[in-house]
Amino acid sequence: MNANKRLAIFDRLAEAIPEPTTELRYTTPFELLIAVVLSAQATDKGVNKATAKLFPVANTPRDIQALGVDGLKEYIKTINFYNGKAANIIALCGQLLEKHHGEVPDSREDLEALPGVGRKTANVLLNTAFGHELIAVDTHVFRVANRTGLAPGKNVREVEQKLDKWTPNKHKRYAHHLLILHGRYTCTARRPKCPACVIQDLCEYTEKTVALRAEPDKSP
């Protein structure tokens, strides 16, 4: 795929999704950090339901730490792998208080040193909370990048490196969100909605779906 086609893809996605942002609900970098940690192998909708109850009660490192692991579990027990996530979040809060004065650091090294925080979570925080031009590769981004031919790669890191290199500069700030939302609602895993896709003619996916044939009229 050449640079002109990549630019056209991002131009169209940006036009179709004029306000690309995360669907996780948060008001502070710390709330976003907790939501992203909870979102691993879970849906944003499920996380939002849990944090809607948690954040009014505890939305600072000190307040969440005060809940303890068992107390936190009561708020997040509807989320996949909540036991491990609760333990990581309590440890994470302790580290923020001990090493960062309770603030979320604007540094990849410091973020990745936090319990439960990997490269993808760090990229989400750095991009969404602090405005860094980084692309976090989740399952949606990985699928879209490979399926369309935008940035094919065998693993997440390879796709990230190619997207970082090839994404047009004017779209780097929001590319992460554009690709996630496109993958979540149009370029879906099982049956991509190719007939309704704004980049159908630019996409290099060889198994594009076709419009469903109309059901025969069975009315009398």
Side-chain angles (χ1 to χ4, degrees), residues 13 16 182 185-187 192-201 209-211:
L13 291 177
H182 184 64
Y185 296 109
T186 302
C187 195
K193 300 176 177 65
C194 300
C197 179
V198 296
I199 61 169
Q200 182 188 30
D201 58 316
T209 59
V210 295

Side-chain angles (χ1 to χ4, degrees), residues 5 23 40 54 58-59 61 66 80 88 106 116 143 163 171 179 201 219:
K5 186 181 281 191
E23 293 186 312
L54 171 64
N59 71 338
N80 291 339
N88 280 335
D106 182 3
R143 180 175 66 254
L163 284 172
H171 291 296
L179 295 175
D201 58 316
S219 60

Side-chain angles (χ1 to χ4, degrees), residues 107-137:
S107 154
R108 177 189 299 285
E109 182 180 2
D110 288 337
L111 284 169
E112 290 189 15
L114 297 172
V117 176
R119 185 178 181 86
K120 185 194 78 172
T121 298
N123 278 0
V124 172
L125 264 292
L126 292 170
N127 173 268
T128 306
F130 300 115
H132 293 239
E133 293 182 344
L134 296 171
I135 300 174
V137 179

